[in-house]
Amino acid sequence: MIVRRTTLAGALALTRAELADMFQYRVVLFLYSLWEVVHPIVYLAVWGAIAGEGEVGGLRLSDFAAYYLTFMLVSHVTAAIEIYTFGPMIQQGELSPHLLRPMNPVWVAAARNISYKSVSMLLLIPVWIGLVIILRPSFTITAGSVALFLVALVVAALLSFLVGTTFALLAFWTTRSFSFWEIWIGLTFLLGGQVAPVELLPGFVQNLATALPMRYTLGFPIEVLLNRLDPGELALGFALQFAWLFAAALIVRAVWRAGIRQYSAVGA
């Protein structure tokens, strides 16, 4: 119990330090936040042009607006940045001093993840509110869907963090870990609910998206909030999301232990 309290206190201290550091880069973070607005707006414009005054797969323009505006926030909260923050620490030997501390260095990656998203979210929200006013999306949400959405969002963020950490840890063995990460990004684009809501994908691709973890880091929380799933699909989705979270935790633990055994750098 004492060890857990010490770890929690250390994690909070790391997060406060990273938050202070992030506030030094407000302009850069604002530009990053604007960039995160671009992709969903492009997707919305494409699907809006296809739907026109009618509908596609039962979805009208206002439904696509609700989906991609929710996507904008969910993708920000669940974004994995570890390949850019934790991976370079390993490659450049900066991990070494962190190994001397009484906390697993993965906590550093978590603190940077939380601080980046917290600060940039403050900059993103006003833009998002403006888009809601302009686009007038059709949000079909209930108190129950909001509660389930929050659970799905937290699990999605944790799953995405663990996946990102796994790819970052590949830097123990290769300087090209980013190349492997690009494969994940491509699969998420196709199967995660990014290029299109999963319900609009062809049958076989939709089944693949349902089984693989990409959807549960992005599209699934959106579907939960907007009441796009029946009770059976909802139960299956949560079961698979938690299963992938558990599997990802085991993978990160195994990869970390294997990587740290062969890690070598100046001062290590």
Side-chain angles (χ1 to χ4, degrees):
M1 182 64 71
I2 294 176
V3 174
R4 290 181 180 178
R5 285 200 298 266
T6 302
T7 301
L8 179 59
L12 291 174
L14 277 172
T15 303
R16 286 195 296 268
E18 291 294 335
L19 278 170
D21 185 59
M22 286 292 173
F23 271 111
Q24 305 300 315
Y25 304 97
R26 292 184 294 274
V27 174
V28 174
L29 290 178
F30 178 70
L31 294 176
Y32 283 158
S33 298
L34 286 180
W35 178 247
E36 291 184 3
V37 172
V38 173
H39 285 167
I41 292 301
V42 170
Y43 303 144
L44 175 58
V46 171
W47 284 109
I50 295 173
E53 296 299 322
E55 59 182 41
V56 179
L59 301 179
R60 303 180 63 84
L61 177 58
S62 59
D63 297 315
F64 283 111
Y67 183 89
Y68 280 110
L69 284 173
T70 306
F71 170 94
M72 193 179 297
L73 296 181
V74 171
S75 65
H76 180 75
V77 172
T78 62
I81 62 172
E82 290 65 44
I83 196 72
Y84 309 103
T85 60
F86 198 42
M89 285 176 56
I90 300 171
Q91 293 173 342
Q92 299 167 14
E94 296 174 4
L95 180 66
S96 302
H98 293 284
L99 295 174
L100 301 176
R101 298 177 181 177
M103 292 180 62
N104 191 307
V106 172
W107 284 104
V108 177
R112 290 179 178 175
N113 186 301
I114 293 170
S115 59
Y116 164 74
K117 292 174 181 177
S118 299
V119 175
S120 53
M121 181 63 82
L122 296 175
L123 305 172
L124 180 63
I125 286 178
V127 177
W128 186 84
I129 292 174
L131 289 172
V132 169
I133 294 173
I134 294 171
L135 297 174
R136 298 183 179 182
S138 176
F139 286 109
T140 55
I141 61 177
T142 63
S145 70
V146 171
L148 291 175
F149 163 75
L150 292 176
V151 175
L153 183 63
V154 170
V155 178
L158 290 173
L159 176 57
S160 184
F161 171 75
L162 291 174
V163 170
T165 300
T166 300
F167 281 98
L169 291 177
L170 295 180
F172 279 126
W173 293 276
T174 177
T175 58
R176 298 185 176 275
S177 55
F178 192 83
S179 299
F180 295 98
W181 174 246
E182 288 292 333
I183 297 174
W184 172 268
I185 292 297
L187 290 173
T188 302
F189 175 77
L190 295 173
L191 304 175
Q194 185 169 339
V195 69
V198 171
E199 62 194 282
L200 296 184
L201 297 176
F204 169 74
V205 180
Q206 189 174 139
N207 293 335
L208 195 61
T210 300
L212 294 177
M214 296 81 188
R215 176 195 180 206
Y216 302 102
T217 64
L218 185 57
F220 180 67
I222 304 172
E223 296 165 18
V224 171
L225 179 65
L226 300 180
N227 283 304
R228 300 281 176 84
L229 304 171
D230 62 38
E233 293 171 331
L234 201 60
L236 176 62
F238 273 110
L240 288 172
Q241 189 182 43
F242 276 97
W244 279 117
L245 178 65
F246 180 71
L250 293 179
I251 291 170
V252 167
R253 184 174 182 179
V255 174
W256 168 259
R257 288 184 172 182
I260 205 65
R261 281 198 297 268
Q262 70 96 49
Y263 174 65
S264 62
V266 176

